[in-house]
Amino acid sequence: MYDFNYHRPASAADAAAARKAAADGVYLAGGMTLLPTLKQRLARSSDVVDLAATGLTGISRDGGAITIGAMSTHDSVATSSEVQSAIPALGILAGGIGDPQVRNRGTIGGSIANADPAADYPAAVLGLNATVHTDRRAIGADDFFTGMFETALGDGELITKVTFPVPAAAAYAKFANPASRYAIVGVMVAKTDGGIRVAVTGAAGNAFRATAMEQVLAGDFSAAVLDGISVDADYNSDIHASAEYRRHLVGVMAKRAVREIA
Amino acid sequence: MSEQITVTVNGDTVSARPAANTLLSAFLREELGLTGAHVGCDTSQCGACVVLVDGKSVKSCTMLARQADGASLTTIEGLAGDGGELHPMQEAFRDNHGLQCGFCTPGMVLSAVDLVSRNPDPSEGEVRRWLEGNICRCTGYHNIVKSIRAAAKVMRA
């Protein structure tokens, strides 16, 4: 790992200032992706701004929504009684990320900002129609994920919290890579105020909504109605799964999630 | 010079000035001489370097020493009692032949302590799922699982 300047600011505002003052700064959340990347010298930053002391934690329910501080670990989301009672699918999703040690350090804000194509949280953000709050604005789920490791976040923009409207029902089905537990394909299906949402992660460059499935499920919410529905996307093809296999898995995982709700 | 950090390591207060890019695993092993945290893969996968940070199992190869400022750390060296009596988890690994070469054992034991602190009576399936991030190259999982369940029984008695 190349050397860098380490900062541990005590507030989100101080973190943004430290990042802005740096020649080539990067935020450090849980570090579960950033630290391995720095160790392998795949990335190099002049300044690492650790968000651990910024106080961006805490999970609360406010009426019809669950709000999760950006620095909340996957473990804290998975074991939160608020999350388990309001959106059990979100707790299950968080509890299935990586391994226990990753869940003890990795954070929701870090995962979403990194936007790994195989990460679980993007399916939750998109499927549950969450709002990503930053130090500058609120970004709707449909506008957030813009490409492989690409988001709507501007330079130095910091995620502070994520708000999930409580759905009538939701389920997440994942076909996990057996070594890493990253999603080869993961599908979140939710009955929301705005209708049925089906969000897919792992399959393409970034998480996306399977609108063809949403349309037929709106008419008849059953697994059978998904038979023969093929979701078009720019599917990834790699050593883990071919594009054709991923396309097939989208259908299988969507049906599993629908069956769990129905 | 790097800023000073203060950590509690196995009950002792330690102040040091690790470089920004010093990993917690390197800090423990090379600066404090606590070589029980083994660096197996150095890529966050094998779990041989697991230590407890404020009671939670963490891969010390994937955390900066500076991130531990203010935290309380427990390494395998700190698990036994002051008089040298083994922790029930260590005792169970010995009684059940829960190790072969022993390289993964410190991480296995500390990961298991984290599990039992949350789940005092884990099923075999729950233990196996929990060990997702701890790899035993000798493939001695059967007796590791047996050891953890035996220790849990002793610890909840």
Side-chain angles (χ1 to χ4, degrees):
Chain A
M1 189 165 19
Y2 294 109
D3 203 4
F4 48 77
N5 301 307
Y6 172 89
H7 309 267
R8 196 184 199 181
S11 71
D14 289 349
R19 173 84 166 66
K20 195 173 179 185
D24 180 19
V26 65
Y27 290 126
L28 171 64
M32 294 297 96
T33 298
L34 179 61
L35 291 175
T37 307
L38 292 173
K39 283 171 69 177
Q40 292 175 69
R41 297 187 174 181
L42 294 170
R44 178 179 196 172
S45 287
S46 64
D47 294 74
V48 171
V49 181
D50 185 353
L51 304 174
T54 54
L56 296 174
T57 52
I59 299 171
S60 61
R61 179 164 185 171
D62 181 15
I66 291 278
T67 296
I68 302 177
M71 285 297 286
S72 301
T73 62
H74 309 325
D75 180 61
S76 69
V77 174
T79 58
S80 157
S81 55
E82 299 279 14
V83 171
Q84 286 172 350
S85 65
I87 320 178
L90 181 59
I92 290 166
L93 177 147
I97 297 172
D99 59 42
Q101 290 74 40
V102 166
R103 296 195 289 274
N104 280 341
R105 296 289 301 166
T107 68
I108 185 168
S111 171
I112 292 170
N114 188 49
D116 190 300
D120 293 286
Y121 268 128
V125 168
L126 207 48
L128 297 168
N129 198 18
T131 300
V132 180
H133 298 269
T134 76
D135 57 348
R136 298 175 197 175
R137 59 190 166 141
I139 308 172
D142 288 325
D143 299 321
F144 190 79
F145 300 102
T146 57
M148 190 175 278
F149 298 106
E150 296 284 341
T151 68
L153 292 171
D155 189 38
E157 189 170 5
L158 178 64
I159 299 176
T160 54
K161 62 186 181 182
V162 186
T163 302
F164 293 90
V166 176
Y172 180 62
K174 166 162 81 158
F175 192 84
N177 179 302
S180 68
R181 301 297 166 193
Y182 269 110
I184 290 177
V185 167
V187 178
M188 174 70 83
V189 176
K191 289 181 167 178
T192 73
D193 285 349
I196 307 290
R197 292 175 72 99
V198 179
V200 180
T201 191
N206 56 282
F208 64 91
R209 284 171 66 190
T211 48
M213 288 180 166
E214 293 176 353
Q215 283 159 15
V216 295
L217 287 169
D220 173 12
F221 193 82
S222 70
V225 79
L226 296 179
D227 280 333
I229 302 281
S230 189
V231 175
D232 287 325
D234 188 8
Y235 285 101
N236 290 339
S237 194
D238 53 34
I239 56 166
H240 305 298
S242 67
E244 186 187 13
Y245 188 47
R246 282 189 162 91
R247 178 189 287 269
H248 176 70
L249 282 175
V250 170
V252 176
M253 293 303 117
K255 282 185 200 175
R256 282 187 191 171
V258 168
R259 272 194 209 103
E260 199 181 312
I261 296 171
Chain B
M1 185 187 272
S2 285
E3 280 174 45
Q4 177 169 294
I5 64 166
T6 301
V7 288
T8 304
V9 182
N10 300 329
D12 295 331
T13 303
V14 174
S15 292
R17 295 179 182 276
N21 63 350
T22 297
L23 294 169
L24 182 58
S25 52
F27 176 70
L28 291 170
R29 291 175 58 83
E30 293 161 26
E31 297 195 33
L32 303 186
L34 297 170
T35 55
H38 292 163
V39 178
C41 70
D42 210 9
T43 55
S44 333
Q45 297 175 71
C46 79
C49 67
V50 165
V51 300
L52 300 181
V53 178
D54 293 327
K56 292 193 171 185
S57 55
V58 163
K59 292 180 180 177
S60 63
C61 80
T62 314
M63 183 168 168
L64 302 171
R66 299 279 289 274
Q67 287 180 283
D69 190 14
S72 177
L73 313 180
T74 303
T75 70
I76 195 70
E77 289 90 344
L79 210 52
D82 290 339
E85 66 279 12
L86 294 182
H87 184 280
M89 191 61 72
Q90 295 173 302
E91 194 72 53
F93 269 69
R94 183 167 73 177
D95 291 347
N96 292 279
H97 194 55
L99 59 146
Q100 291 178 45
C101 83
F103 190 84
C104 73
T105 311
M108 288 284 180
V109 167
L110 290 166
S111 183
V113 168
D114 185 6
L115 168 64
V116 175
S117 74
R118 310 153 178 256
N119 181 353
D121 188 11
S123 67
E124 180 181 338
E126 286 169 337
V127 173
R128 287 184 181 275
R129 273 195 297 282
W130 183 266
L131 295 180
E132 183 74 53
N134 293 87
I135 295 171
C136 169
R137 206 182 70 167
C138 308
T139 70
Y141 297 103
H142 186 79
N143 284 355
I144 291 170
V145 174
K146 202 170 145 191
S147 303
I148 293 170
R149 297 195 71 204
K153 192 174 175 183
V154 171
M155 289 165 72
R156 67 178 181 267

